[in-house]
């Protein structure tokens, strides 16, 4: 079973249109809720039961997050969508926005209804112009069809959705940095607690969810929590979009049940290019630890299995590398990315990411020193868990894991001042 | 613990908003301002900078940033902070067509080095540079979220994916 | 309250408090850079990481709320390792050339590095170098040393109310600065020097002048406004190197104004009066003390008491004011006044027993409504304004009736800007809206009046503050009576906020013609300052008074004093004094004498002299005491300043601050709209002789020259080109000034300050003038 939820219109002509979405059962969940006046807590409970976990990377249970909102508190509450897709290797939300924007809109509305919010913001990264236009068209369509705006379908429930565009900063994918950015500031993560559920956008209670997470919600409501949960495996409910990139024959997004063996996913992506060996895989976006190909071949794609072998499912971005890749060079590029994208707010990340990059850079360029690998390990350890947000960890984990799994290659660079690949 | 929830409104507001930008630009900014709560006009800071950058041929000037500050009642430094934090804002001309080439991990694995080499040879410029005729500028960018089409680049609003040197030539030839 | 355990020690903490507040209160040291108790918590430096039981990773003490039973370890291996890790990161890009850094020896980074740093750096790359910006004459920048704690940035937004410094760029490229080179203009800007934990922001005037360990630290009281901020004075070899705040939560918290910080520079100006001088055969000659004192005593004894006029600075010490009053009254003269910037004395009979702020300083922050009348509080009293600003952040409203749309660092709920002559009507409008006495002024309240009235009545706590502009106003007595009536009707307090540092003290010890020490009525009363000018005396006895600058009416003052005999006790020798004074007695200025200043809330603050006065100068109280002996008066046998103070305070025992206003007999407004009116406030860096000579302050944008400001229409009506010049004539005086177009000035008015060079020939700050194109 593929493309059942977020991609369920993908087989249709012009899959992004309202009529296409409705022909696939779109907005039935919303209509049902509004018609039956489903109690808010029932919806939250349903989302909890579905086993849906945050698809942006952290994997936090979505229903739990919604439940944290004090629904009876007076004043505004907000739904914010994190469409600031920027984790290297990840390109799934772009396709949801381009091909099934109505699923997201319906998901936002259901969330808004469940937490008692009347306004939602979709924060789309600034480079995503085509997805932005698609989403805006869909919002217009929905509004014209009476599915969005004041008094939706005469139910008394009203909701507005606004799109906000980013301007180029990976850190804004971090939920509190995104909120800061939406408030017109630099995207610097906030210290937590308080979490957005208490103190979110404009200081108000806020649910902030990834695009894929919210786009999964309508089907949970329409087809039931059990239906959704049982697609996956225990603790990893539902299907998930995997963005497969790198040295594979058919890179792309695959919406498949969680728990699918990696080997099968690789097969769907056409296998390795030119029949080469799968040397290494980053299974969840550049922030998670790398794993050697041979380990990956025995792993299933769900939260627990990947954690067991020392990495994370993350955003579901699977970067596949064959044996023509130099691991030092790959790590150098990843380290450069975090150095470039550190917001600069807290000390270990601001100072440590540049330090790590420079050390890896000199190893890659033949001026590495014998003590460098221990130094890198130690610097990574001193960043890990010491920063306000997870970017510090994200910068540290690749470094530690690349050295752990490919130490020989790094040592060879240092000893011979050249690459072994 | 005191929390930061207040907009950075300055005490002295600039009254003569009509003197800023052009009417068209003001109207564009206003459509963004309308999306946010009235006291959070500053939420429109990023879109406003984008709008005036586009109007100005792709880069910001001090004057434009100050006008954004005046228009949104923000302290100028708060606008400078935003304008210098996000990578899509430019502070010098980047050519009529800014070529944003992704070199991040998926693109690198799929050969972005070759694409860069090809562009360099063809245009004679490196990252951060502009061709002498001002037609093209070249910029290294981080992952643009299109790794399935690696290697890729963005010019203007358009993504170009699965690049080969030949395809790059075709694309560049088609741009004035 | 909750009980927590820190390093095995049980301590109690307020629930909800951050851990670092609890450890600070218990005297347990946790290293930190970004945390400051008066700024928001950002938890970005990561220096205060500590181990908390059951937390998997170290937590920042500054952002971790305490909870009952919490067990904290500030020096466990996990905590130490985290702190050392942060220190290593902070040092990799920080220059390690402490010996050439101005902060060396008093650097928080250096101190903490001693405990948490490593001897050898593992960072072998090139360190970051940051270009410095010139941000003005007060603050030196060395931004390569910056560790990005952002205290300075937060200070700007949260305390100064003016975000000038920012953190631009991101990641390793983040820079603290103004981004586009610009002078920092906040009147509180110098506080970032103290906040900066490293040598990135240091005091420009004292840069590289002394090492921390070479300086002795003394306690002092700042002498330039009515708050009396508590300060530390740093002295090396009898010279003040710098002034920094001394914490006093009830007054200045941890801050001081730039005026209080850099004003000391004025002590070292070229024109300090260093020797006694006596006019002989038409010219002023240096003489010894004995000669000078005897000549003084002789002159005082020879002059008919009623023909003497005594003018004592509102910023003189309580001891000086007390002894001056004792001396003059002892001679049988009642003509003494300290209200040297006041022109309307019709309210003297109604004067309160002891005028004061009307509230405690901290109460200002709790006001729900504040009405400023003729006050640019932000520049006049920066720290009081800070409290008012705090009230605004708590939702309080501030309203103003002013002759200029003065810039505040908070929004004004209502800002009535009108010609000085209309201020009475505007205030009467508020009174009318409240149903308070309008003193016979007929006015129909408008929307603004009603809004002010409503805000004041609705406030559970509030105040009406009359500022320096109101005091200089020709109808001050009416403004004051209206304000008091409004306050009474609305159930809020009211007060007068002048510019002297010891106005309250002067009232207490009888440095006014109609009150004796202790607040009793002087019988008979003497002449007030205005009368002493209108009916010139034969001899003027002045203390700390510059006749050209420290007065409400330079033309009248210089005319009267210039024609009479003049004895001046002072610290500066101006060309005018050189030409007109008959005897000059050099006295110690700020920090050169022991003394007492009583602030606007009535708190007497005592300080010691910390440097010797220059040359032959002596503390003022000593000179006055000897004069008392020489004119054979009893009660002048004190051996030290403390005895003088004790006597002065004993004389005032039972006198408490009290703003109860009597009834004025004369309530006819003297101001009427003329063709042109002058608006003549005192710029913040012109309030006293010392500040006027503080070089660094004089180079800031807040030090204005004599510039005539008119709004666009007014300038056009006169056919004036921008940047041209105008001639202003007031009474018999006339002078030319550069024109500045400034739309904060109302129609028909010229904003032309007093107390700045070039304006001496003109009359009072407020009143009719003529303006001509040059």
């Amino acid at each position: 079973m593929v493309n059942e939820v977020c991609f369920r219109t993908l087989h249709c002509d012009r899959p992004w249109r309202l009529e296409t979405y409705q022909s696939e059962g779109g907005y039935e969940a919303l209509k049902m809720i509004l018609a039956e006046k489903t109690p808010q807590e029932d919806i939250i409970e349903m989302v909890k039961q579905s086993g849906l976990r945050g698809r942006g990377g952290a994997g936090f249970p979505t229903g739990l997050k919604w439940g944290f909102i004090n629904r009876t508190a007076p004043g505004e509450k907000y739904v914010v969508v994190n469409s600031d897709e920027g984790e290297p290797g990840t390109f799934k939300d772009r396709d949801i926005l381009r091909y099934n924007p109505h699923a997201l809109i319906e998901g936002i509305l259901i969330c808004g209804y469940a937490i008692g919010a009347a306004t939602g913001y979709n924060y789309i990264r600034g480079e995503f112009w085509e997805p932005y236009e698609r989403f805006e068209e869909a919002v217009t369509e929905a509004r014209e069809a009476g599915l969005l705006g004041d008094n939706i379908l005469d139910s008394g429930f009203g909701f507005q959705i606004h799109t906000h565009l980013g301007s180029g900063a990976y850190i804004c994918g971090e939920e509190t940095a995104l909120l800061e950015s939406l408030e017109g500031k630099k995207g610097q993560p906030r210290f937590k607690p308080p979490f957005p559920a208490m103190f979110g956008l404009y200081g108000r209670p806020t649910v902030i969810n990834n695009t894929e997470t919210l786009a999964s919600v309508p089907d949970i409501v329409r087809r039931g929590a059990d239906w959704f949960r049982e697609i996956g495996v225990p603790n990893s409910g539902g299907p998930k979009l995997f963005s497969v990139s790198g040295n594979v024959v058919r890179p792309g997004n695959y919406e498949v049940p969680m728990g699918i063996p990696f080997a099968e996913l690789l097969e769907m992506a056409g296998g390795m290019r030119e029949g080469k060996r799968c040397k290494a895989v980053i299974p969840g976006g550049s922030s998670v630890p790398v794993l050697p190909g041979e380990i990956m071949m025995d792993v299933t794609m769900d939260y627990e299995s990947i954690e067991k072998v020392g990495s994370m499912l993350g955003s579901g971005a699977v970067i596949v590398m064959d044996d023509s890749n130099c691991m030092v060079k790959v790590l150098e590029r990843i380290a450069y990315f975090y150095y470039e994208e550190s917001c600069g707010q807290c000390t270990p990340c601001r100072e440590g990411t540049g330090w790590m990059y420079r050390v890896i850079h000199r190893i890659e360029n033949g001026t590495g020193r014998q003590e460098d690998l221990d130094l890198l390990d130690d610097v990574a350890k001193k960043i890990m868990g010491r920063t306000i947000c997870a970017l510090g960890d994200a910068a540290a984990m690749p470094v530690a894991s690349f050295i752990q799994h490919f130490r020989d290659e790094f040592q060879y660079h240092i000893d011979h001042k050249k690459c072994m690949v | 613990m005191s929390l930061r929830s207040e907009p950075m409104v300055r005490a002295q507001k600039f009254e003569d908003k009509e003197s800023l930008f052009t009417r068209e630009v003001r109207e564009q900014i206003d459509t963004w301002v309308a999306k946010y709560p009235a006291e959070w006009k500053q939420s429109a800071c990023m879109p406003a900078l984008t709008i005036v950058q586009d109007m100005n041929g792709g880069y910001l000037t001090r004057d434009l940033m100050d006008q954004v500050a005046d228009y949104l009642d923000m302290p100028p430094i708060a606008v400078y902070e935003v304008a210098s934090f996000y990578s899509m804002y430019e502070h010098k001309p980047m050519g009529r067509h800014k070529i944003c080439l992704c070199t991040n991990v998926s693109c690198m694995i799929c050969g972005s080095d070759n694409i860069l080499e090809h562009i360099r040879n063809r245009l004679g410029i490196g990252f951060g540079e502009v061709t002498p005729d001002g037609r093209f500028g070249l910029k290294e960018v981080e992952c643009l979220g299109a790794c399935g089409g690696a290697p890729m680049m963005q010019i203007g609003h358009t993504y170009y994916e699965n690049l080969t040197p030949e395809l790059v030539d075709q694309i560049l030839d088609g741009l004035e | 309250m909750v009980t927590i355990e820190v390093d095995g020690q049980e301590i109690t903490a307020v629930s909800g408090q951050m851990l670092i507040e609890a450890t600070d209160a218990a005297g347990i040291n946790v290293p930190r850079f970004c945390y400051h108790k008066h700024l928001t918590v950002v938890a970005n430096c990561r220096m205060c990481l500590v181990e908390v039981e059951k937390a998997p990773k170290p937590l920042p003490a500054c952002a971790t709320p305490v909870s009952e039973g919490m067990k904290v370890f500030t020096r466990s291996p996990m905590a130490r390792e985290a702190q050392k890790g942060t220190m290593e990161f902070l040092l990799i890009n920080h220059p390690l050339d402490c010996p050439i850094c101005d902060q060396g020896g008093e650097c928080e980074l250096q101190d903490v590095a001693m405990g948490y740093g490593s001897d050898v750096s593992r960072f072998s790359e090139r360190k970051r170098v940051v270009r410095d910006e010139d941000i003005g004459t007060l603050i030196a920048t060395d931004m390569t040393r910056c560790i990005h704690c952002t205290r300075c940035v937060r200070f700007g937004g949260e305390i100064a109310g003016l975000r000038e410094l920012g953190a631009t760029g991101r990641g390793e490229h983040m820079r603290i600065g103004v981004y586009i080179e610009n002078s920092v203009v906040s009147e509180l800007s110098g506080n970032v020097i103290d906040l900066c934990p490293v040598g990135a922001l240091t005091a420009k005037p004292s840069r590289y002048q002394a090492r921390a360990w070479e300086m002795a630290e003394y306690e002092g009281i700042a002498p330039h406004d009515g708050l009396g901020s508590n300060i530390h004075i740093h002295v090396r070899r009898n010279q003040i190197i710098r002034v920094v705040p001394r914490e006093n939560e009830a007054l200045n918290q941890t801050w001081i104004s730039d005026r209080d910080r850099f004003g000391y520079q004025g002590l070292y100006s070229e024109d300090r009066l260093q020797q006694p001088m006596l006019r002989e055969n038409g010219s002023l000659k240096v003489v010894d003390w004995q000669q000078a004192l005897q000549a003084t005593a002789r002159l005082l004894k020879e002059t008919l008491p009623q023909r003497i006029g005594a003018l004592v600075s509102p910023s003189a010490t309580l001891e000086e004011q007390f002894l001056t009053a004792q001396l003059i009254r002892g001679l049988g003269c009642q003509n003494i006044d300290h209200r040297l910037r006041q022109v309307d004395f019709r309210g003297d009979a109604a004067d309160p027993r002891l005028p004061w702020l009307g509230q405690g300083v901290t109460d200002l922050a709790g006001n729900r409504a504040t009405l400023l009348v003729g006050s640019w509080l932000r520049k006049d009293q920066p720290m009081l304004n800070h409290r008012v600003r705090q009230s605004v952040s708590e939702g309080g409203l501030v309203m103003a009736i002013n002759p200029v749309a003065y810039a505040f660092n908070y929004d004004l709920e209502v800002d009535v800007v009108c010609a000085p002559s209309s201020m009475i009507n505007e205030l009467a409008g508020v009174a009318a809206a409240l149903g308070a006495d309008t003193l016979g002024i007929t006015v129909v309240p408008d929307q603004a009046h009603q809004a002010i009235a409503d805000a004041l009545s609705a406030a559970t706590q509030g105040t009406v503050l009359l500022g320096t502009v109101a005091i200089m106003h020709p109808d001050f007595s009416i403004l004051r009576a209206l304000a008091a009536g409004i306050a009474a009707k609305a159930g809020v307090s009211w007060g007068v906020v002048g510019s002297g540092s010891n106005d309250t003290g002067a009232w207490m010890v009888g440095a006014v013609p109609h009150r004796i020490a202790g607040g009793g009525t002087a019988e008979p009363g003497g002449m007030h300052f205005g009368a002493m000018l209108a009916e010139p005396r034969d001899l003027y006895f002045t203390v700390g008074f510059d006749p050209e600058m420290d007065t409400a009416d330079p033309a009248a003052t210089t005319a009267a004093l210039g024609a009479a005999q003049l004895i001046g006790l002072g610290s500066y020798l101006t060309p005018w004094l050189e030409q007109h004074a008959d005897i000059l007695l050099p006295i110690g200025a700020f920090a050169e004498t022991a003394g007492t200043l009583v602030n606007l809330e009535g708190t007497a603050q005592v300080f010691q002299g910390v440097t010797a006065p220059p040359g032959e100068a002596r503390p003022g109280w000593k000179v006055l005491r000897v004069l008392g002996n020489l004119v054979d008066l009893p009660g002048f046998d004190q051996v030290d300043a403390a005895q003088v103070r004790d006597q002065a305070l004993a004389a005032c025992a039972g006198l408490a601050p009290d703003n109860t206003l009597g009834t004025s007999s004369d309530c006819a407004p003297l101001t009427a709209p003329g063709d042109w009116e002058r608006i003549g406030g005192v710029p913040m860096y012109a309030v006293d002789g010392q500040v006027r000579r503080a070089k660094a302050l004089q180079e800031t944008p807040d030090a204005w020259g004599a510039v005539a400001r008119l709004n666009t229409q007014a300038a056009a009506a006169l056919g004036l080109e921008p940047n041209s010049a105008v001639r202003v004539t007031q009474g018999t005086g006339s002078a030319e000034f550069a024109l500045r177009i400034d739309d904060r000035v109302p129609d028909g008015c010229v904003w032309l300050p007093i107390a700045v060079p070039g304006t001496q020939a003109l009359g009072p700050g407020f009143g009719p003038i003529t303006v001509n194109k040059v």
Side-chain angles (χ1 to χ4, degrees), chain C residues 11-72:
Chain C
I11 62 174
T12 51
V14 183
S15 50
Q17 209 176 27
M18 294 302 156
L19 197 43
I20 204 165
E21 296 176 77
T23 52
D24 278 358
I28 298 164
N29 180 43
V30 176
R32 87 288 306 270
F33 295 111
C34 68
Y35 173 78
H36 186 280
K37 63 179 175 184
H38 291 313
L39 301 175
T40 53
V41 170
V42 287
N44 65 27
C45 78
R46 318 308 284 176
M47 194 63 219
C48 68
L49 292 172
V50 294
E51 181 177 352
V52 176
E53 194 184 53
K54 293 195 195 99
K57 47 187 192 182
L59 299 177
C62 69
T64 304
V66 293
S67 58
E68 182 62 43
M70 186 182 226
K71 272 192 176 170
V72 181

Side-chain angles (χ1 to χ4, degrees), chain B residues 1 11-12 62 77 81 84-85, chain C residues 18 163 167 169-170 180 408:
Chain B
M1 175 174 171
Q12 272 73 54
R62 175 192 177 163
I77 186 73
E81 283 183 336
S84 62
F85 185 87
Chain C
M18 294 302 156
R163 236 164 72 83
R170 77 179 180 212
I180 286 163
F408 285 88

Side-chain angles (χ1 to χ4, degrees), chain A residues 6-159:
Chain A
C6 294
F7 274 3
R8 72 180 197 256
T9 58
L10 204 58
H11 64 280
C12 307
D13 182 37
R14 312 216 307 157
W16 52 85
R17 296 299 305 271
L18 175 62
E19 58 199 38
T20 316
Y21 182 61
Q22 283 180 316
S23 72
E24 290 288 317
Y27 289 109
E28 279 175 17
L30 178 73
K31 285 175 186 164
M32 183 192 83
I33 287 171
L34 296 181
E36 295 176 4
K37 303 217 179 302
T38 314
Q40 293 170 319
E41 54 273 25
D42 289 5
I43 298 171
I44 295 173
E45 188 54 33
M46 206 184 310
V47 176
K48 280 185 190 164
Q49 287 303 320
S50 75
L52 177 64
R53 292 170 62 171
R55 300 295 196 230
F60 191 83
T62 305
L64 212 52
K65 210 176 199 182
W66 293 13
F68 289 151
I69 300 280
N70 178 0
R71 296 192 301 276
T72 54
E76 283 288 328
K77 296 167 200 74
Y78 293 105
V79 180
V80 176
V81 190
N82 187 342
S83 296
D84 192 46
E85 183 166 58
E87 174 76 10
T90 318
F91 48 96
K92 62 191 180 67
D93 298 336
R94 176 181 176 225
D95 282 358
I96 294 175
L97 293 168
R98 288 200 295 175
Y99 301 130
N100 198 7
H102 284 287
L104 176 59
I105 292 172
E106 191 181 0
I108 296 170
L109 290 167
I110 293 170
C111 176
Y113 176 91
I115 65 161
T119 310
Y121 291 96
N122 185 11
Y123 187 110
I124 301 179
R125 65 176 298 173
E127 295 90 340
F128 277 179
W129 191 259
E130 186 196 2
Y132 160 68
E133 291 191 317
R134 278 279 165 76
F135 183 76
E136 285 284 86
E137 277 170 36
V139 164
T140 309
E141 274 186 318
R143 198 174 284 137
E144 284 168 0
L147 295 162
L148 179 63
D150 302 328
N151 192 18
I152 297 169
L153 303 171
D154 274 334
S155 65
F157 171 66
F159 197 91

Side-chain angles (χ1 to χ4, degrees), chain A residues 313-325:
Chain A
L313 187 72
S315 62
V318 182
I319 305 171
V320 182
M321 289 167 271
D322 66 25
D323 49 17
S324 68
N325 289 291

Side-chain angles (χ1 to χ4, degrees), chain C residues 429 432 442-446 449:
Chain C
T442 18
V443 57
V444 179
D446 65 17
H449 303 144

Side-chain angles (χ1 to χ4, degrees), chain A residues 150-313:
Chain A
D150 302 328
N151 192 18
I152 297 169
L153 303 171
D154 274 334
S155 65
F157 171 66
F159 197 91
Q160 306 297 334
I161 295 178
H162 305 292
T163 309
H164 185 91
L165 275 174
S167 292
Y170 166 68
I171 190 61
C172 291
E174 198 278 348
E175 58 182 24
T176 58
L178 185 148
L179 296 177
E180 286 280 301
S181 180
L182 193 42
E183 290 181 0
K185 306 175 206 163
K186 295 184 289 179
Q188 289 189 332
R190 297 173 181 170
F191 186 80
K192 295 158 287 277
F195 290 93
M198 266 188 62
F199 188 88
L201 181 64
Y202 307 128
R204 306 296 312 157
T206 301
V207 158
I208 172 164
N209 279 143
N210 169 258
T211 314
E212 184 187 349
T213 313
L214 285 171
S216 303
V217 167
D219 268 0
I220 292 172
V221 175
R222 185 169 65 104
R223 305 172 78 167
D226 295 343
W227 172 83
F228 185 85
R229 191 182 61 249
E230 282 159 16
I231 292 175
V233 293
N235 286 324
S236 297
K240 163 99 190 79
L241 276 165
F242 290 100
S243 303
V244 184
S245 69
N247 307 125
V248 296
V249 175
R250 282 190 303 275
N253 285 314
Y254 298 90
E255 188 175 27
V256 293
M258 292 253 246
I260 186 179
F262 169 73
E264 214 171 291
L265 183 63
L266 183 59
E267 188 76 29
M268 291 173 85
M272 300 300 294
R273 271 187 208 171
E274 298 163 27
K276 285 192 178 152
R277 184 177 73 89
C278 175
K279 178 179 181 179
V281 176
I282 302 175
S286 71
S287 304
V288 309
V290 68
L291 290 171
E294 46 274 27
I295 293 182
M296 279 306 290
M297 288 305 169
D298 298 327
V299 169
T300 56
M301 301 301 287
D302 54 88
Y303 294 106
E304 286 184 357
S305 310
I306 299 186
E307 262 167 48
K308 249 183 237 160
V309 292
S311 189
M312 292 185 276
L313 187 72

